[in-house]
Amino acid sequence: MTFVVKGQKDRHRVVFKRRAMASLGARGASSSASNLVDSALHGNTRLQPSSAEASAQAGDEVVDSIFRPPIFPTMSARTARASMVPDLFTSLPPIRDLLNTQSSQIQEETIQECLPFLSGLEPGATYNDHGVPHLERNRHIQFLHKSLKKLPAPYVAADASRPWMFYWALAGLSTLGEDISQYREPLISTVRPIQNATGGFGGGNGQMSHLAPTYGIVLALAIVGGEEALDLIDRRAMWKWLAALKQPDGGFQVCVGGEEDIRGAYCAAVIITLLDLPVELPRDSPAWSGEGATLLTGLAEWVRRCQTFEGGFSGLPDAEAHGAYAFCALACLCILGDPHVMIPKYIDVPRLISWLSARQYAPEAGFSGRTNKLVDGCYSHWVGGCWPILEACLDGPSRILAVGASPRAATHSVGSLYSREGLIRYILCCCQDRTKRGGLRDKPSHSSDSYHTCYVLAGLSSAQHKWHFNTAETKTEMGGNLASPYQWTCEPFDGEVQIYNEEDRVGTLHPVFVIPEGAAEQTRAYFASKGGF
């Protein structure tokens, strides 16, 4: 599969063909397949198949049974509760490695775990005509509200992650359309004492400043908005602290004396642009030189060094590629400049597309984070969030020609580079906890948590919408340093059959900052209006 960054050469696109499921009246072979699945799932005792059923089974596709008893690719309409479900999501993989290892066994178990949910066999779930259940919006909202209340005692071990929990819950609630203004005052009072006089935020009271919790708190404050929340941030101290983290090779440490990795590059870039900080370095910065080095000097070059031979990105040069690091790399470059300029300049785009494409599995249809690893709901964002950035890179800049006009009127789009349908199926079928607990999860055998709830919803939002990098003059009025990330526009994605009900559409999250659309622009505009410290 070849993707060209520039030019008009042909691009290959995979189209999934659907076939109608067996009707309710035709029970034959499909009912026997359903009986086998029901027995495997619930231990139900079934009668031996009739001669007609045995004949039908003999005509079905033979599936290698080295690992598990076969599950037939076509499920009945009675059990699937759907009239049309692509075989891709209800069949075992057509090509399977016969070398039996621990990794292959766990992968096989994951497939068997997900197939019943993808095939419409989850007890109590209601499916639409495409075999997709509804988004349990109210349960997920309740779950996220609860995560912002008093937590059980074992959460003491996660004290340093509290800033992340604020961000995960607030971003998730916003994506679900919930009003989060009630949390503005509690957030302010909670994070005020964990800001250090030397700049930045720690994970909790008395903890040293670190880029990860600082990133989480800055985004959480941007989500709740308001002058009191934004003015809480000591921008001068933040600038001095970031200068202390800046390294001569172009990257950033995550804390003073800590590791230097691509998380630091992305988090620092987010903070610099959202707070409209000056990029000049003070003389006491480790990266200061008499040649005019800045906070941004060498940053794009350092990010480039993290691309691996596979095509993905590692946390630091010469390490293993990981989905979250790929997102950090792409988003960081989109802060430093326009995606259609920066990404081809610093990244081997075809290799990255190849690696990212290999992260989406079938039949599960979700994403894995690394080579030879399992699907995980959180990569709906970390990997899924890479695609809108790459699609915008390949599309090139668009421009709204008239008020209300679609950005597509001014550009040719490469379309969708991944299976949005597949990801939506994995999220809505496999990642929802439909019990009273609510929330979203890694996969059906795991419990829901606020981390997965946030990033699974982010992936769902990305799959439901199409982002464009827009060069309209009205989007560049704020100017100043690092203005590119504020030139994105969004519309509902309509490039294929919509398999989910419109009521299950979620809100939009900025493709670079991963906060509600408009929040980043408002935050940047507020700090830009202050004119310095």
Side-chain angles (χ1 to χ4, degrees), residues 338 399 469-480 483-484 486-487:
D338 297 354
R399 184 179 179 85
F469 184 75
N470 173 32
T471 57
E473 295 179 3
T474 55
K475 298 293 291 184
T476 59
E477 289 177 352
M478 65 183 66
S484 289
Y486 308 100
Q487 296 179 242

Side-chain angles (χ1 to χ4, degrees), residues 281-358:
L281 288 173
R283 283 181 170 267
D284 58 353
S285 170
W288 185 88
S289 70
E291 300 176 357
T294 71
L295 285 170
L296 308 179
T297 298
L299 184 55
E301 289 78 7
W302 191 89
V303 168
R304 175 169 55 190
R305 291 172 53 208
C306 294
Q307 188 168 21
T308 74
F309 70 95
E310 291 182 286
F313 279 81
S314 55
L316 65 166
D318 304 318
E320 183 184 13
H322 190 285
Y325 299 145
F327 174 80
C328 289
L330 288 170
C332 182
L333 291 177
C334 287
I335 292 173
L336 298 177
D338 297 354
H340 59 284
V341 175
M342 296 296 292
I343 292 175
K345 180 178 180 180
Y346 291 100
I347 290 179
D348 185 332
V349 176
R351 269 202 303 154
L352 176 58
I353 289 177
S354 175
W355 185 83
L356 288 171
S357 298

Side-chain angles (χ1 to χ4, degrees), residues 60-350:
D60 285 338
E61 177 183 359
V62 177
V63 180
D64 183 1
S65 59
I66 289 178
F67 302 104
R68 293 273 182 171
I71 291 181
F72 294 90
T74 304
M75 302 292 171
S76 71
R78 176 177 61 83
T79 53
R81 300 173 179 87
S83 61
M84 297 173 66
V85 178
D87 290 347
L88 180 66
F89 308 117
T90 59
S91 308
L92 293 173
I95 301 176
R96 304 166 75 192
D97 191 347
L98 298 183
L99 178 62
N100 194 1
T101 66
Q102 182 179 9
S103 295
S104 67
Q105 289 175 353
I106 296 174
Q107 171 61 23
E108 183 70 16
E109 291 170 3
T110 301
I111 292 174
Q112 298 292 345
E113 175 185 334
C114 294
L115 271 178
F117 292 85
L118 293 165
S119 303
L121 295 176
E122 183 180 8
T126 301
Y127 295 82
N128 65 14
D129 290 340
H130 298 281
V132 176
H134 289 288
L135 176 69
E136 299 287 346
R137 188 183 299 266
N138 291 335
R139 289 182 179 179
H140 304 329
I141 288 174
Q142 181 182 17
F143 174 82
L144 290 172
H145 278 306
K146 189 175 181 179
S147 73
L148 290 172
K149 308 298 183 183
K150 186 175 181 179
L151 299 174
Y155 274 85
V156 170
D159 180 63
S161 297
R162 281 196 301 158
W164 281 107
M165 295 177 187
F166 305 151
Y167 163 68
W168 295 331
L170 293 171
L173 287 169
S174 299
T175 308
L176 292 169
E178 190 75 350
D179 179 16
I180 46 84
S181 59
Q182 61 180 297
Y183 294 113
R184 182 179 293 111
E185 291 302 323
L187 178 66
I188 292 171
S189 61
T190 301
V191 304
R192 190 187 301 276
I194 63 179
Q195 181 172 211
N196 292 308
T198 53
F201 293 84
N205 293 359
Q207 298 178 22
M208 68 184 299
S209 296
H210 192 287
L211 271 173
T214 300
Y215 164 87
I217 288 176
V218 168
L219 293 187
L221 292 171
I223 292 172
V224 299
E227 291 186 12
E228 184 181 4
L230 299 179
D231 285 342
L232 179 152
I233 302 170
D234 186 338
R235 293 169 63 233
R236 178 183 290 275
M238 183 77 76
W239 169 68
K240 291 279 291 183
W241 177 62
L242 288 174
L245 301 179
K246 177 68 176 180
Q247 299 301 297
D249 64 357
F252 283 87
Q253 293 179 335
V254 293
C255 61
V256 175
E259 65 269 32
E260 179 184 8
D261 62 34
I262 206 162
R263 296 174 305 158
Y266 168 61
C267 291
V270 166
I271 295 167
I272 292 169
T273 183
L274 280 180
L275 304 187
D276 194 32
L277 299 178
V279 297
E280 293 77 16
L281 288 173
R283 283 181 170 267
D284 58 353
S285 170
W288 185 88
S289 70
E291 300 176 357
T294 71
L295 285 170
L296 308 179
T297 298
L299 184 55
E301 289 78 7
W302 191 89
V303 168
R304 175 169 55 190
R305 291 172 53 208
C306 294
Q307 188 168 21
T308 74
F309 70 95
E310 291 182 286
F313 279 81
S314 55
L316 65 166
D318 304 318
E320 183 184 13
H322 190 285
Y325 299 145
F327 174 80
C328 289
L330 288 170
C332 182
L333 291 177
C334 287
I335 292 173
L336 298 177
D338 297 354
H340 59 284
V341 175
M342 296 296 292
I343 292 175
K345 180 178 180 180
Y346 291 100
I347 290 179
D348 185 332
V349 176

Side-chain angles (χ1 to χ4, degrees), residues 268-486:
V270 166
I271 295 167
I272 292 169
T273 183
L274 280 180
L275 304 187
D276 194 32
L277 299 178
V279 297
E280 293 77 16
L281 288 173
R283 283 181 170 267
D284 58 353
S285 170
W288 185 88
S289 70
E291 300 176 357
T294 71
L295 285 170
L296 308 179
T297 298
L299 184 55
E301 289 78 7
W302 191 89
V303 168
R304 175 169 55 190
R305 291 172 53 208
C306 294
Q307 188 168 21
T308 74
F309 70 95
E310 291 182 286
F313 279 81
S314 55
L316 65 166
D318 304 318
E320 183 184 13
H322 190 285
Y325 299 145
F327 174 80
C328 289
L330 288 170
C332 182
L333 291 177
C334 287
I335 292 173
L336 298 177
D338 297 354
H340 59 284
V341 175
M342 296 296 292
I343 292 175
K345 180 178 180 180
Y346 291 100
I347 290 179
D348 185 332
V349 176
R351 269 202 303 154
L352 176 58
I353 289 177
S354 175
W355 185 83
L356 288 171
S357 298
R359 304 280 64 75
Q360 190 167 28
Y361 294 172
E364 309 100 291
F367 290 111
S368 70
R370 290 180 285 166
T371 300
N372 209 30
K373 294 294 184 178
L374 305 176
V375 293
D376 184 331
C378 70
Y379 296 114
S380 302
H381 162 65
W382 293 121
V383 175
C386 293
W387 291 116
I389 295 175
L390 281 172
E391 288 170 3
C393 164
L394 296 174
D395 285 346
S398 62
R399 184 179 179 85
I400 299 176
L401 301 180
V403 176
S406 169
R408 293 177 301 168
T411 185
H412 169 73
S413 175
V414 297
S416 185
L417 297 181
Y418 69 107
S419 175
R420 293 172 185 259
E421 174 182 342
L423 181 59
I424 292 172
R425 285 185 181 276
Y426 181 73
I427 289 173
L428 295 180
C429 294
C430 297
C431 293
Q432 294 194 87
D433 186 332
R434 269 182 282 274
T435 68
K436 291 182 179 180
R437 175 184 175 89
L440 293 111
R441 59 199 179 192
D442 170 346
K443 53 180 67 70
S445 60
H446 287 57
S447 296
S448 57
D449 55 64
S450 57
Y451 165 80
H452 283 90
T453 300
C454 170
Y455 290 124
V456 170
L457 288 172
L460 179 60
S461 174
S462 179
Q464 292 177 335
H465 298 89
K466 173 72 174 180
W467 284 93
H468 305 270
F469 184 75
N470 173 32
T471 57
E473 295 179 3
T474 55
K475 298 293 291 184
T476 59
E477 289 177 352
M478 65 183 66
N481 296 319
L482 307 179
S484 289
Y486 308 100

